[in-house]
Amino acid sequence: MIVLGLDTSAYVNAVGLCDSDRILADATFPARTDSLEQIVDNIDSVLGSAGLALGDVGGIGVGLGPGSWTGIRVGVTVGKILAFSTGKPVSGVSTLEALAYTARGVSRSICAVINVGAGDAVYAGIYHFTGGEIKRRGDYYTGSVEGLAALLKEPCVIAGERAASFAGIIARESGLKIEAFEASPGGAAVALLAARRLARGESDDALALTPLYLKESTAKVFNHGYDKV
Amino acid sequence: MREEVASSNRPSNKKVKSFRVSNSYRLLLDTGHFLDTCYLSVDDYMLVLGIETSCDETAAALVADGKTVLSNIVATQFDLLKKYGGVVPEVAARRHTELIGYIVKEALDSAGKTLDDVDAVAVSSKQGLIGCLMVGVAAAKSISYARRIPLIGIHHVEGHLYANRLSHPALPYPHVCLTVSGGHTMLLYVKDDRTYKMLGTTLDDAAGEAFDKVAKFLGLLYANRNTGGGRVIDELSRQGDRRAFNFPRPMLKSKDLDFSFSGLKTAVINRFKDKIARGEPLPLADIAASFQEAVVDVLVAKTMRAAWVKEVSAVSVTGGVAANRRLRQVFQETGANKNVTVFLPPLSLCTDNAAMVAAAGYARLRRGESSGLRLDVFPNAPLGV
């Protein structure tokens, strides 16, 4: 089955295509502040480069985040509405899982790390491979890199866009042997993970698909009393 | 019945004329996509799916031929308004993302249609909260791409103009239109269905915003009901004396056609903040009625002045505040006195909805326009043709 993979969580439009476990295309287009304008064009050009049209796609994979909140809303909305409009099955994929998947082949566990906005905090998830399948160990993490270091109990590979700098901090804080694997959220990784799920007959309800924010909005809850305007 | 006849006409190939395509759309045509699909017959029935997510309403609607509303689905976010005391852009955008698919499906299902029946998609892409607009536009362009149907981006305020066209097909041109909501207070001279000019706008708060803020100050907002500040004041005013307090009528005497409501809001707050600080009870109904009367006086007087300046005998009122009962009453009375016909859309078309977006989109598509798949959002776009 040909699966289209999208990920717009990292200020890029990552679009990939796979046929079962074979990558057909994997492209990343810059989208600095706006993942919206070119997203459909980019999908169309990736399909075109593989000699395909949307009608040839058997399923859709969507990177759910975490990452840019605006970015993941665009990707998830496009993914769910494309699935709804074409009647194709859709599978949401955690962007952290897709990042970890790009480092597949290493024997250690993989800690996928994504920056929270422009600050020093990170979103993270710890993954390991068993029998060719990728599994997350424990919950997602949101917080400081130092806090993440305290959670790690064994040597691992840090995967992400600033892997080397994070690995340095974590190695210093934890005293463990930490390797770095530089990787960006990619469309093909999302497509491959979605293809595996779809091949098993699992898919998500397109209309119910929601981004993985991992962080509440900072809005304050309103106190119903007299309040200054 | 009309529909059946119309749909049977739809797939015919007779007298197919092509739409003039905008530059961005042509880019796609040049690459070979859409070449055989973006043509629509000018004579044929056209079913437009409208999508609106510019503020805190997630809405979708199906409108046939720009005038028959087959469905008009609006999901409001009153529970979130209640929780946060107002619209929080990030919170609203998250809710849009959760709901958009369900709302589009509901608009289709309740009209007994599928996406196969839809000929074009119209979406609010200009004026609104950027993160919210993006969800609607992402959905609309996905449908346009997947179904190979034209896409048209609409200015939200232009959508409001078409709320009147939908409810009153006989609305004459030229006329003056007051668009008054939580986001806008704007007087427009509408020469015909494609030419309009802004005569005046608010210099600070929109009228609806003043309603919300005064309601919030009085502790009325969202406290025990699923309505916005405007409706709370509207309801409370019915038990109050509108002459109890003489609040200022900002810019009533100014020669221009602009508005200002920030000062009125502050006048209400300053008058009662000492009492509130001392914990004394307030004559809430009288305050609400007097405040509302001040807003209504200004809105009606300025709109009538605009009609007089532009020498038109018809005015239309649209936007969420047009649902206010006192405003509707005073407009009707004043219109009758001054021989000006007042057109007021039904309540379902006053507040943000997607039927008006579909109707506006239909008009632009009929004129040969379409936006193309690179459609982007413009949160502060000026109103223009």
Side-chain angles (χ1 to χ4, degrees), chain A residues 34 36-41 43-44 47 54 69-70 73-74 77-78 80-82 84-86 205 207-208 210-211 213 215-217 219-222 224-227 229, chain B residues 33 82-85 88 90-91 93-94 97-98 101-102 104-105 108 115 134-135 137-139 141-143 145-147 213 216-218 221-222 269 276 373-374 376-377:
Chain A
D34 184 9
L36 175 68
E37 187 179 353
Q38 306 279 343
I39 180 75
V40 170
D41 273 20
I43 291 171
D44 198 58
L47 283 166
L54 189 62
W69 290 348
T70 303
R73 270 195 287 277
V74 168
T77 306
V78 168
K80 78 158 76 178
I81 302 295
L82 280 182
F84 170 70
S85 307
T86 56
D205 176 356
L207 300 184
T210 322
Y213 296 104
K215 209 163 175 281
E216 287 300 311
S217 149
K220 287 199 188 78
V221 171
F222 176 61
H224 289 281
Y226 294 126
D227 192 25
V229 176
Chain B
H33 303 292
K82 220 184 215 177
K83 185 172 172 193
Y84 296 104
V88 180
E90 173 64 24
V91 173
R94 288 186 178 197
T97 314
E98 287 165 26
Y102 293 108
V104 168
K105 184 169 187 298
L108 292 164
L115 277 178
M134 287 175 83
V135 175
V137 170
K141 60 165 68 177
S142 304
I143 294 172
Y145 176 58
R147 310 301 298 198
K213 286 182 176 170
K216 188 171 173 179
F217 169 73
L218 296 174
L221 190 57
Y222 321 120
I269 290 168
I276 285 179
L373 292 172
R374 288 183 189 159
D376 206 352
V377 294

Coordinates of all heavy atoms in Angstrom, one line a residue, chain A residues 34 36-41 43-44 47 54 69-70 73-74 77-78 80-82 84-86 205 207-208 210-211 213 215-217 219-222 224-227 229, chain B residues 33 82-85 88 90-91 93-94 97-98 101-102 104-105 108 115 134-135 137-139 141-143 145-147 213 216-218 221-222 269 276 373-374 376-377:
Chain A
D34 N 5.1 29.8 8.3 CA 3.8 29.4 7.7 C 3.8 28.1 7.0 O 4.3 28.0 5.9 CB 3.3 30.5 6.8 CG 1.9 30.2 6.3 OD1 1.3 29.3 6.8 OD2 1.4 30.9 5.4
L36 N 1.2 26.6 6.2 CA -0.1 26.5 5.5 C 0.0 26.8 4.0 O -0.6 26.0 3.2 CB -1.1 27.5 6.1 CG -2.4 27.6 5.5 CD1 -3.2 26.3 5.7 CD2 -3.2 28.8 6.0
E37 N 0.7 27.8 3.6 CA 0.6 28.3 2.2 C 0.9 27.3 1.2 O 0.2 27.0 0.2 CB 1.5 29.5 2.0 CG 1.3 30.2 0.7 CD 2.2 31.4 0.5 OE1 2.8 31.8 1.4 OE2 2.2 32.0 -0.6
Q38 N 2.0 26.5 1.4 CA 2.5 25.7 0.3 C 2.2 24.2 0.5 O 2.6 23.3 -0.3 CB 4.1 25.8 0.2 CG 4.6 27.2 0.1 CD 4.5 27.6 -1.4 OE1 4.4 26.8 -2.3 NE2 4.6 28.9 -1.6
I39 N 1.5 23.9 1.6 CA 1.4 22.5 2.0 C 0.8 21.6 0.9 O 1.4 20.5 0.6 CB 0.7 22.3 3.4 CG1 0.6 20.8 3.8 CG2 -0.7 22.9 3.4 CD1 1.8 20.2 4.3
V40 N -0.2 22.0 0.3 CA -0.9 21.2 -0.7 C 0.0 21.1 -1.9 O 0.1 20.0 -2.5 CB -2.3 21.7 -1.0 CG1 -2.9 21.0 -2.2 CG2 -3.2 21.5 0.3
D41 N 0.6 22.3 -2.3 CA 1.5 22.2 -3.5 C 2.6 21.2 -3.2 O 3.0 20.5 -4.1 CB 2.1 23.6 -3.6 CG 1.3 24.5 -4.5 OD1 0.1 24.2 -4.6 OD2 1.8 25.5 -5.0
I43 N 2.7 18.6 -1.2 CA 2.2 17.3 -1.3 C 2.1 16.9 -2.8 O 2.5 15.8 -3.2 CB 0.8 17.1 -0.6 CG1 1.0 17.3 0.9 CG2 0.2 15.8 -1.0 CD1 -0.4 17.4 1.6
D44 N 1.5 17.8 -3.6 CA 1.3 17.5 -5.0 C 2.6 17.3 -5.7 O 2.8 16.4 -6.6 CB 0.5 18.6 -5.6 CG -0.1 18.2 -6.9 OD1 -0.9 17.2 -6.9 OD2 0.2 18.8 -8.0
L47 N 4.1 13.9 -4.8 CA 3.4 12.8 -5.5 C 3.8 12.8 -7.0 O 4.1 11.7 -7.5 CB 1.9 13.1 -5.4 CG 1.2 12.7 -4.1 CD1 -0.2 13.3 -4.0 CD2 1.1 11.2 -3.9
L54 N -2.9 11.8 -6.0 CA -3.5 11.5 -4.7 C -4.3 10.3 -4.8 O -4.4 9.5 -3.8 CB -4.3 12.8 -4.3 CG -4.8 12.7 -2.9 CD1 -3.7 12.7 -1.8 CD2 -5.8 13.9 -2.6
W69 N 2.8 24.6 17.6 CA 1.4 24.4 17.7 C 0.6 24.7 16.5 O -0.2 24.0 16.1 CB 0.9 25.2 18.9 CG 1.3 24.7 20.2 CD1 1.9 23.5 20.5 CD2 1.2 25.3 21.5 NE1 2.2 23.4 21.8 CE2 1.8 24.5 22.5 CE3 0.7 26.5 21.9 CZ2 1.8 24.8 23.8 CZ3 0.7 26.9 23.3 CH2 1.3 26.0 24.2
T70 N 1.0 25.8 15.9 CA 0.3 26.2 14.6 C 0.7 25.2 13.5 O -0.2 24.8 12.8 CB 0.8 27.6 14.2 OG1 0.5 28.5 15.3 CG2 0.1 28.1 13.0
R73 N -1.3 22.0 13.9 CA -2.7 22.1 13.5 C -2.9 22.1 12.0 O -3.9 21.5 11.6 CB -3.2 23.5 14.1 CG -3.8 23.4 15.5 CD -4.6 24.6 15.8 NE -3.8 25.8 16.0 CZ -3.2 26.0 17.2 NH1 -3.3 25.3 18.2 NH2 -2.5 27.1 17.3
V74 N -2.0 22.7 11.3 CA -2.1 22.7 9.8 C -2.0 21.2 9.3 O -2.8 20.7 8.6 CB -1.1 23.6 9.2 CG1 -1.0 23.3 7.7 CG2 -1.4 25.0 9.5
T77 N -4.9 19.0 10.4 CA -6.2 19.4 9.7 C -6.1 18.9 8.2 O -7.0 18.3 7.7 CB -6.4 20.9 9.7 OG1 -6.4 21.3 11.1 CG2 -7.7 21.2 9.1
V78 N -4.9 19.1 7.6 CA -4.8 18.7 6.2 C -4.9 17.2 6.1 O -5.6 16.6 5.3 CB -3.4 19.2 5.6 CG1 -3.2 18.5 4.3 CG2 -3.5 20.7 5.4
K80 N -6.4 15.0 8.2 CA -7.7 14.5 8.5 C -8.7 14.8 7.4 O -9.5 14.0 7.0 CB -8.2 15.0 9.9 CG -8.7 16.4 10.0 CD -9.7 16.6 11.1 CE -8.9 16.7 12.5 NZ -9.9 16.9 13.6
I81 N -8.6 16.0 6.8 CA -9.6 16.4 5.8 C -9.3 15.7 4.5 O -10.2 15.3 3.7 CB -9.7 17.9 5.6 CG1 -10.1 18.6 7.0 CG2 -10.7 18.3 4.6 CD1 -11.5 18.2 7.5
L82 N -8.0 15.5 4.2 CA -7.6 14.7 3.0 C -8.2 13.3 3.1 O -8.8 12.7 2.2 CB -6.1 14.6 2.8 CG -5.4 15.8 2.1 CD1 -3.9 15.5 2.0 CD2 -6.0 16.1 0.8
F84 N -10.7 12.3 5.0 CA -12.2 12.4 4.9 C -12.6 12.6 3.5 O -13.6 12.0 3.1 CB -12.7 13.6 5.8 CG -14.1 14.0 5.6 CD1 -15.1 13.1 6.1 CD2 -14.5 15.2 5.0 CE1 -16.4 13.5 5.9 CE2 -15.8 15.5 4.8 CZ -16.8 14.6 5.3
S85 N -11.9 13.5 2.7 CA -12.4 13.8 1.4 C -12.1 12.6 0.4 O -12.7 12.6 -0.6 CB -11.6 15.0 0.9 OG -11.8 16.1 1.7
T86 N -11.1 11.8 0.7 CA -10.8 10.7 -0.2 C -11.3 9.4 0.2 O -11.2 8.4 -0.5 CB -9.2 10.6 -0.4 OG1 -8.6 10.4 0.9 CG2 -8.6 11.8 -1.0
D205 N -9.7 7.3 13.6 CA -10.9 8.0 13.1 C -10.5 9.4 12.6 O -10.0 10.2 13.4 CB -11.9 8.1 14.3 CG -13.2 8.9 13.9 OD1 -13.2 9.4 12.8 OD2 -14.1 9.0 14.7
L207 N -11.9 12.0 11.6 CA -12.6 13.3 12.2 C -12.1 13.5 13.6 O -12.1 14.7 14.0 CB -14.1 13.1 12.1 CG -14.7 12.9 10.7 CD1 -16.2 12.9 10.8 CD2 -14.2 14.0 9.8
A208 N -11.7 12.5 14.3 CA -11.3 12.7 15.7 C -9.8 13.0 15.9 O -9.4 13.2 17.0 CB -11.7 11.4 16.5
T210 N -6.4 14.5 16.6 CA -6.1 15.7 17.3 C -4.6 15.8 17.4 O -3.9 14.8 17.6 CB -6.7 15.6 18.7 OG1 -8.0 15.0 18.7 CG2 -6.8 17.0 19.3
P211 N -4.0 17.0 17.4 CA -2.6 17.1 17.6 C -2.1 16.7 19.0 O -2.9 16.6 19.9 CB -2.3 18.6 17.4 CG -3.5 19.1 16.6 CD -4.6 18.3 17.0
Y213 N -0.2 18.0 21.6 CA 0.5 19.3 22.0 C 1.5 19.0 23.2 O 2.5 19.7 23.3 CB -0.6 20.3 22.5 CG -1.6 20.7 21.4 CD1 -2.9 20.2 21.4 CD2 -1.2 21.6 20.5 CE1 -3.8 20.6 20.5 CE2 -2.1 22.1 19.5 CZ -3.4 21.6 19.5 OH -4.3 22.0 18.6
K215 N 1.4 20.1 26.0 CA 1.5 21.3 26.8 C 0.2 22.1 26.7 O -0.3 22.3 25.6 CB 2.6 22.2 26.3 CG 3.4 23.0 27.4 CD 4.7 23.4 26.8 CE 5.4 24.4 27.8 NZ 4.9 25.7 27.8
E216 N -0.3 22.5 27.8 CA -1.6 23.2 27.8 C -1.3 24.7 27.3 O -0.2 25.1 27.5 CB -2.2 23.3 29.3 CG -2.8 22.0 29.7 CD -3.9 21.6 28.9 OE1 -4.8 22.4 28.6 OE2 -3.9 20.4 28.4
S217 N -2.3 25.3 26.8 CA -2.2 26.7 26.5 C -2.0 27.5 27.8 O -2.4 27.0 28.9 CB -3.5 27.2 25.8 OG -3.7 28.5 26.1
A219 N -3.2 30.2 28.8 CA -4.3 31.1 29.1 C -4.7 30.9 30.6 O -4.8 29.7 31.1 CB -5.5 30.8 28.2
K220 N -5.1 32.0 31.2 CA -5.5 31.9 32.6 C -7.0 31.6 32.7 O -7.8 32.2 31.9 CB -5.2 33.2 33.3 CG -3.8 33.5 33.6 CD -3.6 34.6 34.7 CE -2.2 35.0 34.8 NZ -1.8 35.9 33.8
V221 N -7.4 30.8 33.6 CA -8.8 30.5 33.8 C -9.4 31.7 34.5 O -8.9 32.3 35.4 CB -9.0 29.2 34.7 CG1 -10.4 29.1 35.1 CG2 -8.5 28.0 33.9
F222 N -10.6 32.1 34.0 CA -11.3 33.3 34.4 C -12.0 33.1 35.7 O -12.7 32.2 35.9 CB -12.3 33.8 33.3 CG -13.1 35.0 33.6 CD1 -12.5 36.2 33.9 CD2 -14.5 34.9 33.7 CE1 -13.2 37.3 34.2 CE2 -15.2 36.0 34.0 CZ -14.6 37.2 34.3
H224 N -14.9 34.1 38.0 CA -16.2 34.7 37.8 C -16.6 35.6 39.0 O -17.3 35.2 39.8 CB -17.3 33.6 37.7 CG -17.2 32.9 36.4 ND1 -17.7 33.5 35.2 CD2 -16.6 31.8 36.0 CE1 -17.4 32.6 34.2 NE2 -16.8 31.6 34.7
G225 N -16.1 36.7 39.1 CA -16.5 37.6 40.1 C -16.5 39.0 39.4 O -16.4 39.1 38.2
Y226 N -16.5 40.0 40.2 CA -16.2 41.3 39.6 C -14.7 41.3 39.2 O -13.9 40.9 39.9 CB -16.5 42.4 40.6 CG -17.9 42.5 40.9 CD1 -18.3 42.5 42.3 CD2 -18.9 42.6 39.9 CE1 -19.7 42.6 42.6 CE2 -20.2 42.7 40.3 CZ -20.6 42.7 41.6 OH -21.9 42.8 41.9
D227 N -14.5 41.8 38.0 CA -13.1 41.7 37.5 C -12.8 43.0 36.8 O -13.7 43.6 36.2 CB -13.0 40.5 36.5 CG -11.6 40.2 36.2 OD1 -10.7 40.5 37.0 OD2 -11.4 39.6 35.1
V229 N -11.7 45.2 33.9 CA -11.8 45.0 32.4 C -10.4 45.3 31.8 O -9.8 46.3 32.1 CB -12.8 45.8 31.8 CG1 -12.9 45.7 30.3 CG2 -14.2 45.5 32.4
Chain B
H33 N -2.1 20.2 -13.5 CA -3.1 19.7 -12.5 C -4.4 20.6 -12.8 O -4.3 21.7 -13.2 CB -2.7 19.9 -11.1 CG -1.4 19.2 -10.8 ND1 -1.3 17.9 -10.8 CD2 -0.2 19.7 -10.6 CE1 -0.1 17.5 -10.6 NE2 0.6 18.6 -10.4
K82 N -16.6 30.7 28.9 CA -16.9 30.7 30.3 C -15.7 30.5 31.1 O -15.4 31.1 32.1 CB -17.9 29.6 30.5 CG -19.0 29.8 31.4 CD -19.8 28.5 31.5 CE -21.2 28.7 31.7 NZ -22.0 27.5 31.7
K83 N -14.9 29.5 30.7 CA -13.7 29.1 31.4 C -12.7 30.2 31.4 O -12.0 30.4 32.5 CB -13.2 27.8 30.9 CG -12.0 27.2 31.7 CD -11.6 25.8 31.1 CE -10.4 25.3 31.8 NZ -9.8 24.2 31.1
Y84 N -12.4 30.8 30.3 CA -11.3 31.7 30.2 C -11.8 33.2 30.2 O -10.9 34.1 30.1 CB -10.5 31.5 28.9 CG -9.9 30.1 28.9 CD1 -10.3 29.1 28.2 CD2 -8.7 29.9 29.7 CE1 -9.7 27.8 28.2 CE2 -8.1 28.7 29.8 CZ -8.6 27.6 29.0 OH -8.0 26.4 29.1
G85 N -13.1 33.5 30.2 CA -13.6 34.8 30.3 C -13.4 35.6 29.0 O -13.4 36.8 29.0
V88 N -9.6 33.0 23.8 CA -8.2 32.9 23.8 C -7.8 32.3 22.5 O -8.2 31.1 22.2 CB -7.7 32.0 25.0 CG1 -6.2 31.9 25.0 CG2 -8.2 32.5 26.3
E90 N -5.2 30.7 21.1 CA -4.7 29.3 21.1 C -5.8 28.3 21.5 O -5.9 27.2 20.8 CB -3.5 29.3 22.0 CG -2.9 27.9 22.2 CD -2.3 27.3 21.0 OE1 -1.9 28.0 20.1 OE2 -2.2 26.0 20.9
V91 N -6.5 28.6 22.5 CA -7.6 27.7 22.9 C -8.6 27.5 21.8 O -9.1 26.4 21.5 CB -8.2 28.2 24.2 CG1 -9.4 27.4 24.6 CG2 -7.2 28.2 25.3
A93 N -8.2 28.0 18.6 CA -7.7 27.3 17.4 C -7.6 25.8 17.7 O -7.9 24.9 16.8 CB -6.3 27.8 17.1
R94 N -7.3 25.4 18.9 CA -7.3 24.0 19.3 C -8.7 23.3 19.1 O -8.8 22.2 18.6 CB -6.8 23.8 20.7 CG -5.3 24.0 20.8 CD -4.8 23.7 22.2 NE -3.4 24.0 22.3 CZ -2.6 23.5 23.3 NH1 -3.1 22.8 24.2 NH2 -1.3 23.7 23.3
T97 N -9.6 22.7 15.5 CA -8.9 21.6 14.9 C -9.7 20.3 15.3 O -9.8 19.4 14.5 CB -7.5 21.5 15.4 OG1 -6.9 22.8 15.3 CG2 -6.6 20.5 14.6
E98 N -10.2 20.3 16.5 CA -10.9 19.1 16.9 C -12.2 18.9 16.2 O -12.7 17.9 15.9 CB -11.2 19.2 18.4 CG -10.1 19.0 19.4 CD -10.4 19.4 20.8 OE1 -11.6 19.4 21.2 OE2 -9.4 19.8 21.5
G101 N -13.6 18.7 11.2 CA -14.1 17.5 10.4 C -15.5 17.2 10.6 O -16.3 16.9 9.7
Y102 N -15.9 17.1 11.9 CA -17.2 16.8 12.3 C -18.2 17.8 11.8 O -19.3 17.5 11.3 CB -17.4 16.8 13.8 CG -16.6 15.6 14.5 CD1 -15.5 15.9 15.2 CD2 -17.1 14.3 14.4 CE1 -14.8 14.8 15.8 CE2 -16.4 13.3 15.0 CZ -15.2 13.5 15.7 OH -14.6 12.5 16.3
V104 N -17.9 19.9 9.1 CA -18.1 19.7 7.7 C -19.0 18.5 7.3 O -19.9 18.6 6.5 CB -16.7 19.6 7.0 CG1 -16.8 19.2 5.5 CG2 -15.9 20.9 7.1
K105 N -18.7 17.4 8.0 CA -19.5 16.2 7.8 C -21.0 16.5 8.1 O -21.9 16.1 7.4 CB -19.0 15.1 8.6 CG -19.7 13.8 8.3 CD -19.0 12.6 8.9 CE -19.6 11.3 8.5 NZ -21.0 11.1 8.9
L108 N -22.8 18.4 5.5 CA -23.1 17.6 4.3 C -24.3 16.7 4.7 O -25.3 16.6 4.0 CB -21.9 16.8 3.9 CG -20.7 17.5 3.3 CD1 -19.5 16.6 3.3 CD2 -21.1 18.0 1.9
L115 N -19.7 14.9 -0.6 CA -18.7 15.8 -1.2 C -18.8 15.7 -2.7 O -18.4 16.6 -3.5 CB -17.3 15.5 -0.8 CG -16.8 16.1 0.6 CD1 -15.4 15.7 0.9 CD2 -16.9 17.6 0.5
M134 N -6.3 29.7 10.0 CA -5.5 28.7 9.4 C -6.2 27.3 9.3 O -6.0 26.6 8.4 CB -4.1 28.6 10.0 CG -3.2 29.8 9.7 SD -1.7 29.8 10.6 CE -0.7 28.7 9.6
V135 N -6.9 27.0 10.4 CA -7.5 25.7 10.5 C -8.6 25.6 9.3 O -8.6 24.6 8.6 CB -8.2 25.5 11.8 CG1 -8.9 24.2 11.9 CG2 -7.1 25.5 12.9
V137 N -8.8 27.3 6.5 CA -8.2 27.4 5.2 C -7.5 26.0 4.9 O -7.5 25.5 3.8 CB -7.2 28.6 5.1 CG1 -6.4 28.5 3.8 CG2 -8.0 29.9 5.1
A138 N -6.8 25.4 5.9 CA -6.2 24.1 5.7 C -7.2 23.1 5.3 O -7.0 22.3 4.4 CB -5.4 23.7 7.0
A139 N -8.4 23.1 6.0 CA -9.4 22.2 5.7 C -10.0 22.4 4.3 O -10.1 21.5 3.5 CB -10.6 22.3 6.7
K141 N -8.6 24.0 1.7 CA -7.7 23.6 0.5 C -7.5 22.1 0.4 O -7.3 21.6 -0.7 CB -6.4 24.4 0.6 CG -5.5 24.2 1.8 CD -4.1 24.7 1.5 CE -4.0 26.2 1.5 NZ -2.7 26.7 1.3
S142 N -7.6 21.4 1.5 CA -7.5 19.9 1.4 C -8.7 19.4 0.6 O -8.5 18.5 -0.2 CB -7.5 19.3 2.8 OG -6.4 19.8 3.5
I143 N -9.9 19.9 0.9 CA -11.1 19.5 0.1 C -10.9 19.8 -1.3 O -11.2 19.0 -2.2 CB -12.4 20.1 0.7 CG1 -12.6 19.5 2.1 CG2 -13.6 19.7 -0.2 CD1 -13.7 20.2 2.9
Y145 N -8.3 20.3 -3.1 CA -7.2 19.5 -3.7 C -7.8 18.0 -3.9 O -7.6 17.5 -5.0 CB -6.0 19.5 -2.9 CG -4.9 18.6 -3.4 CD1 -4.3 18.7 -4.6 CD2 -4.4 17.6 -2.6 CE1 -3.3 17.9 -5.1 CE2 -3.4 16.7 -3.0 CZ -2.8 16.9 -4.3 OH -1.8 16.1 -4.7
A146 N -8.3 17.5 -2.9 CA -8.8 16.1 -3.0 C -9.9 15.9 -4.0 O -10.0 14.9 -4.6 CB -9.2 15.6 -1.6
R147 N -10.8 16.9 -4.0 CA -12.0 16.7 -4.9 C -11.9 17.4 -6.2 O -12.8 17.4 -7.0 CB -13.3 17.2 -4.1 CG -13.4 16.6 -2.8 CD -13.5 15.1 -2.7 NE -14.7 14.6 -3.5 CZ -15.2 13.4 -3.3 NH1 -14.6 12.6 -2.5 NH2 -16.2 13.0 -4.1
K213 N -17.3 43.5 27.5 CA -16.5 44.0 28.6 C -17.3 44.6 29.7 O -17.0 44.4 30.9 CB -15.5 45.0 28.1 CG -14.4 44.3 27.3 CD -13.3 45.3 26.8 CE -12.2 44.6 26.1 NZ -11.3 45.5 25.4
K216 N -18.7 41.6 31.5 CA -17.7 41.0 32.3 C -17.5 41.8 33.6 O -17.4 41.3 34.7 CB -16.4 40.9 31.5 CG -15.3 40.1 32.1 CD -14.2 40.0 31.0 CE -13.0 39.4 31.6 NZ -11.9 39.2 30.6
F217 N -17.4 43.2 33.4 CA -17.2 44.0 34.6 C -18.4 43.9 35.6 O -18.2 43.9 36.8 CB -17.1 45.5 34.1 CG -17.2 46.5 35.2 CD1 -16.1 46.7 36.0 CD2 -18.3 47.3 35.3 CE1 -16.2 47.6 37.0 CE2 -18.4 48.2 36.3 CZ -17.3 48.4 37.2
L218 N -19.6 43.8 35.1 CA -20.7 43.7 36.0 C -20.9 42.2 36.6 O -21.8 42.0 37.3 CB -22.0 44.0 35.2 CG -22.1 45.5 34.8 CD1 -23.3 45.7 33.9 CD2 -22.1 46.5 35.9
L221 N -20.9 38.0 32.9 CA -20.5 37.3 31.7 C -20.4 35.8 32.0 O -19.6 35.4 32.9 CB -19.1 37.8 31.2 CG -18.6 37.3 29.9 CD1 -19.6 37.6 28.8 CD2 -17.3 38.0 29.6
Y222 N -21.0 35.0 31.2 CA -20.9 33.6 31.2 C -21.1 32.9 32.5 O -20.8 31.8 32.8 CB -19.5 33.1 30.7 CG -19.0 34.0 29.6 CD1 -17.8 34.7 29.7 CD2 -19.7 34.0 28.4 CE1 -17.3 35.4 28.7 CE2 -19.2 34.8 27.3 CZ -18.0 35.5 27.5 OH -17.6 36.3 26.5
I269 N -17.8 51.8 33.8 CA -16.9 51.2 34.8 C -16.6 52.2 35.9 O -16.7 51.9 37.1 CB -15.7 50.6 34.2 CG1 -16.1 49.4 33.3 CG2 -14.7 50.2 35.2 CD1 -15.0 48.9 32.4
I276 N -18.7 48.8 43.6 CA -18.2 47.4 43.6 C -17.2 47.2 44.6 O -17.2 46.1 45.3 CB -17.7 47.1 42.1 CG1 -18.9 46.9 41.2 CG2 -16.9 45.8 42.1 CD1 -18.6 46.6 39.8
L373 N -4.6 26.9 -4.7 CA -4.3 26.1 -3.5 C -3.2 26.7 -2.7 O -2.9 26.2 -1.6 CB -3.9 24.7 -4.0 CG -5.0 23.9 -4.6 CD1 -4.6 22.6 -5.2 CD2 -6.1 23.7 -3.5
R374 N -2.6 27.9 -3.1 CA -1.7 28.5 -2.2 C -2.3 29.6 -1.3 O -1.6 30.4 -0.8 CB -0.5 29.2 -3.0 CG 0.3 28.1 -3.6 CD 1.5 28.6 -4.4 NE 2.1 27.5 -5.1 CZ 2.9 27.7 -6.1 NH1 3.2 28.9 -6.6 NH2 3.5 26.6 -6.7
D376 N -3.5 31.8 1.4 CA -2.9 32.0 2.7 C -3.9 32.8 3.5 O -4.9 33.3 3.0 CB -1.6 32.7 2.6 CG -0.7 32.4 3.8 OD1 -1.2 31.8 4.7 OD2 0.5 32.8 3.7
V377 N -3.6 33.0 4.8 CA -4.5 33.8 5.7 C -4.0 35.2 5.8 O -2.8 35.4 5.9 CB -4.7 33.1 7.0 CG1 -5.4 31.8 6.9 CG2 -3.4 32.9 7.8

